[in-house]
Amino acid sequence: MLSIDAIDHLVLTVRDVEVSAAWYARVLGMAREDRPAPAGGLGRTSMRFGRQKINLRPAAATQAEWFTGQAPAPGGGDLCLLTSASPDEVTAHFRREGVEIVSGPVARHGALGLIRSVYVRDPDGNLIEVSSYA
């Protein structure tokens, strides 16, 4: 039987790779990684954190240039990211960065139990939940 162990990467379709990459670096402290374009394709911009990454796919990319889901669109993502910071620290950080808090801190059920979450939106409207376990 097949068993899945972890998530390696996610792909978000974005209107402007530069704007999104700058936001994820500034607001969430992720490290930008760029890879050159393969023959006949597009270069890749990824945002690394921990052992994972988010690939930022340009909305204008075709399926031939970047093979992805059937209906890629900016703003359709909903991610929960974990931090060791407290919900109060997360809230204070977002306020310092001028990022509007959509909801939180609120209690939710994560993969391993109760989490406290703060919700914001990235430049494309993707819902970004930043959470910590008690």
Side-chain angles (χ1 to χ4, degrees):
M1 175 184 218
L2 176 66
S3 175
I4 302 300
D5 300 320
I7 291 176
D8 181 78
H9 71 277
L10 303 169
V11 177
L12 289 177
T13 298
V14 300
R15 287 180 191 87
D16 188 317
V17 170
E18 293 303 318
V19 168
S20 293
W23 189 89
Y24 280 89
R26 178 180 60 86
V27 175
L28 299 178
M30 295 181 183
R32 181 179 176 151
E33 176 182 272
D34 292 304
R35 288 186 300 133
L42 293 175
R44 300 288 194 264
T45 296
S46 301
M47 303 309 296
R48 292 193 154 280
F49 59 102
R51 296 175 60 182
Q52 296 77 228
K53 68 179 180 175
I54 299 172
N55 292 333
L56 303 177
R57 179 189 182 277
T62 66
Q63 285 286 340
E65 294 169 321
W66 189 317
F67 185 63
T68 193
Q70 286 186 338
D78 181 345
L79 308 178
C80 179
L81 305 171
L82 294 175
T83 182
S84 59
S86 73
D88 289 340
E89 291 170 317
V90 171
T91 299
H93 170 74
F94 286 143
R95 287 188 177 136
R96 280 192 307 275
E97 292 296 328
V99 175
E100 179 185 355
I101 295 170
V102 177
S103 181
V106 294
R108 295 288 187 249
H109 293 280
L112 302 176
L114 188 65
I115 55 177
R116 297 281 295 164
S117 301
V118 178
Y119 293 85
V120 297
R121 293 200 184 273
D122 76 1
D124 289 289
N126 295 300
L127 187 62
I128 306 299
E129 177 182 358
V130 178
S131 304
S132 55
Y133 282 95

